Amino acid sequence: MTRRLLILAGLLALAACKREQREVRLDPPALDALDQVALMPNGIGGAPPDVLPALGRPYETNAYQLSQGKRLYGWFNCTGCHANGGGNVGPALMEGWWRYGPDVQSIFASIRDGRPHGMPAFKDKLTTEQIWQLAGYVQTIGTYAAKTAAPTRNDEMQSRPSESRGPAGADIAPPSR
Amino acid sequence: MTARPLRLPALAAVLACGGCGTPWQSALHPGGAQAGGLLDLITIFTAVCGIVWLLVMIVTLLTLRRRRAGIEAPLPRDEGTERRPRRAVQAAVATTVVIIAGLTLLSFFVTRGLTADDPQALVVRVRAYQWWWEFTYQDPRPDQAFTVANEIHVPVGRPVRFLLEAPDVIHSFWVPSLAGKQDLIPGRSNEITLVADQPGVYRGQCAQFCGLQHAHMAFLVIAEPPDRFAAWQVAQRQPAPEPATDEASVGRRIFLARQCAACHTIQGTTASGTLGPDLTHVASRRYIAAGLLPTTRGSLAAWTADPQTLKPGNNMPMVPLGSDELSAVSAYLTSLR
């Protein structure tokens, strides 16, 4: 009896061994396919590339990809206009209101092609995969539902939990419209 | 079964072979005063601790043998025989205190010299990234300062002061043949000074686990006579040479138009990214990707084509290039001498 319990405990402990996979290299055909976003005629919404759900939407659900996105957010000076999500020259990202749609393919298109009134296009500076990483991270800044994956925490003091850990609505009231 | 007696010596021989390579990264082959001092320290510590260990072992063995003679229990009380062990313990404690104090002082005086501030020193700012090294040679005239990556040259006999910074995680600067370790900690600035007394190529390595590619975070310190160092410095300050062939100039156009220029700087062109290594004179360095591959046109092309296979997890993305584009870019990079 004790032996059976021990074996069961051992099996349960093994369940903890699964570590999130880091996909650091996508096959070139998958990379090409990631660029095929079918936007609506107004450049908003539409469908993400078919390959994205096939890969398991890693740029929204994988902690490594979110962390890489966060790294790019600092590296490519998104903070210069959007601050740490609070907005400055550019609109705020953390209040949960998306001018060009909350879905990740709209955010992807905003970064890749730019938007009117100042948002530059990053397609010559970032690869498609990097734009997806950044889009996935940007989406978490203004998220209203907690996700199971979060990017690395900041070293500085923070007034709220890590992006996508707690819904933004917990400490900021959404704008009434 | 006959093979068993041979197994241990064979293992020892295999281990001993580890010491056979060129000693370009070994604290036991010092190339400068700091490393020499540290080697003396290692030798003295090993000798003193070895002697202490030997004495303790001998006394322990003697005691164990004496027990065998058979002692009646309970022990009869005898002032004479009790005083002897007490004295022995007192003497052992006193010796221990003296030895530890001696070694502490010795260590203090030897390592104190490691951070000595010399106004004549060459000053190099080191920034350690995941997983490569950026070195900026400081100069009172800003236009004379220049940046290189993963390979530095130092003049023989002149102290070099390294200002250590880390923008991402903790790394550690370690050139075993020239000096001890010093950590690079985000948000803090550290320093280490070293002198190379003998010309040569010394290998350095990140000595603090810093992520997936910690093992591939090496750099070279090339110590050379002052005149050759000065010539190298002059060469490194120059902007990148103009492409000599058509293929190389096509390569430059692709480099500047594509994502490459967003992260890399090539002096003399519009490429001015600071997120990746400065490539102005990349082909003059012996290795690429922080000691991963020797610099050849083939390795540069392989790296550009697929960095994530060669060094998984590093921050260089795979930029989709056609075979002609790749060939042109590698021709251009090879021309950056």
Side-chain angles (χ1 to χ4, degrees):
Chain A
M1 192 62 202
T2 343
R3 201 165 159 200
R4 209 176 286 170
L5 264 177
L6 274 175
I7 291 171
L8 200 67
L11 283 176
L12 271 175
L14 278 178
C17 293
K18 188 178 180 300
R19 191 166 183 263
E20 191 190 59
Q21 295 296 308
R22 291 184 177 189
E23 187 63 71
V24 295
R25 182 188 182 276
L26 277 184
D27 283 331
L31 278 177
D32 282 347
L34 272 176
D35 206 30
Q36 311 301 319
V37 183
L39 295 171
M40 301 296 276
N42 61 355
I44 303 171
D50 293 340
V51 69
L52 199 64
L55 292 170
R57 293 188 163 268
Y59 306 107
E60 293 148 88
T61 57
N62 184 289
Y64 171 70
Q65 306 291 354
L66 289 171
S67 297
Q68 289 298 94
K70 186 168 183 172
R71 194 195 285 275
L72 295 169
Y73 189 86
W75 273 5
F76 284 85
N77 198 28
C78 305
T79 45
C81 292
H82 298 285
N84 285 312
N88 184 13
V89 177
L93 302 172
M94 68 198 298
E95 98 282 53
W97 164 250
W98 302 92
R99 289 169 191 226
Y100 298 103
D103 46 312
V104 75
Q105 62 268 25
S106 302
I107 302 173
F108 172 85
S110 299
I111 300 169
R112 185 186 65 181
D113 306 327
R115 295 290 186 189
H117 308 303
M119 173 73 190
F122 280 86
K123 61 172 172 287
D124 294 336
K125 296 190 166 59
L126 295 166
T127 63
T128 305
E129 193 183 19
Q130 288 178 312
I131 298 176
W132 277 112
Q133 289 170 337
L134 188 49
Y137 169 69
V138 166
Q139 195 187 36
T140 69
I141 300 177
T143 187
Y144 273 91
K147 290 186 176 182
T148 50
T152 43
R153 66 178 175 81
N154 288 39
D155 283 340
E156 310 88 57
M157 282 200 285
Q158 296 289 302
S159 58
R160 56 178 285 207
S162 171
E163 302 90 339
S164 79
R165 268 291 179 240
D171 35 49
I172 303 162
S176 52
R177 275 172 212 277
Chain B
M1 276 299 109
T2 44
R4 182 161 278 182
L6 284 175
R7 219 174 276 173
L8 256 181
L11 197 69
V14 167
L15 276 175
C17 278
C20 293
T22 332
W24 68 344
Q25 184 183 336
S26 167
L28 302 178
H29 292 90
Q34 281 84 354
L38 289 177
L39 180 58
D40 292 344
L41 212 55
I42 295 170
T43 317
I44 294 170
F45 265 68
T46 312
V48 170
C49 295
I51 290 167
V52 169
W53 180 80
L54 214 64
L55 287 176
V56 170
M57 283 298 127
I58 289 170
V59 171
T60 312
L61 283 177
L62 284 178
T63 321
L64 288 173
R65 287 189 69 156
R66 271 178 70 183
R67 284 291 301 261
R68 272 193 210 142
I71 300 166
E72 53 189 284
L75 282 169
R77 200 170 158 75
D78 178 0
E79 281 294 318
T81 47
E82 293 220 344
R83 205 174 294 133
R84 265 175 60 201
R86 194 192 298 147
R87 287 221 182 108
V89 169
Q90 282 169 346
V93 168
T95 323
T96 307
V97 169
V98 167
I99 290 176
I100 289 179
L103 291 180
T104 308
L105 282 174
L106 189 72
S107 163
F108 169 72
F109 284 113
V110 171
T111 50
R112 191 174 55 162
L114 295 183
T115 50
D117 199 359
D118 188 329
Q120 292 302 307
L122 187 72
V123 183
V124 180
R125 193 191 69 179
V126 183
R127 284 166 78 86
Y129 293 88
Q130 284 175 318
W131 292 279
W132 61 281
W133 303 86
E134 183 189 87
F135 299 95
T136 304
Y137 283 71
Q138 315 271 47
D139 201 282
R141 281 178 54 192
D143 63 326
Q144 297 294 298
F146 60 93
T147 301
V148 295
N150 301 328
E151 181 179 306
I152 48 171
H153 290 228
V154 297
V156 167
R158 183 170 165 202
V160 188
R161 191 146 60 93
F162 292 95
L163 312 176
L164 309 172
E165 294 168 19
D168 43 33
V169 299
I170 301 178
H171 302 275
S172 187
F173 182 90
W174 192 31
V175 193
S177 303
L178 293 178
K181 292 175 194 173
Q182 190 70 277
D183 279 7
L184 303 95
I185 301 166
R188 311 199 69 138
S189 43
N190 245 344
E191 276 185 20
I192 191 169
T193 304
L194 53 83
V195 192
D197 292 330
Q198 272 142 41
V201 180
Y202 304 100
R203 191 171 183 273
Q205 166 75 41
C206 178
Q208 171 69 46
F209 181 72
C210 58
L212 205 56
Q213 291 297 338
H214 164 64
H216 290 138
M217 188 171 164
F219 60 99
L220 288 187
V221 180
I222 297 170
E224 48 194 14
D227 51 329
R228 284 190 59 189
F229 171 72
W232 176 80
Q233 242 182 339
V234 169
Q236 293 294 316
R237 282 186 190 126
Q238 302 302 315
E242 284 295 306
T245 62
D246 286 348
E247 196 182 23
S249 61
V250 171
R252 179 167 77 173
R253 206 169 63 229
I254 295 164
F255 189 98
L256 298 179
R258 302 298 291 271
Q259 286 88 347
C260 319
C263 291
H264 294 287
T265 291
I266 295 181
Q267 299 288 345
T269 72
T270 53
S272 55
T274 54
L275 303 169
D278 186 305
L279 300 179
T280 309
H281 298 289
V282 63
S284 74
R285 300 177 204 141
R286 300 184 183 203
Y287 289 90
I288 61 165
L292 186 70
L293 294 169
T295 311
T296 62
R297 183 168 173 187
S299 66
L300 283 165
W303 175 259
T304 316
D306 197 351
Q308 293 302 332
T309 296
L310 295 172
K311 194 171 172 178
N314 84 83
N315 288 313
M316 168 140 161
M318 189 199 292
V319 176
L321 294 172
S323 54
D324 289 349
E325 292 174 309
L326 188 62
S327 174
V329 168
S330 67
Y332 176 55
L333 291 177
T334 318
S335 77
L336 298 175
R337 294 204 61 84

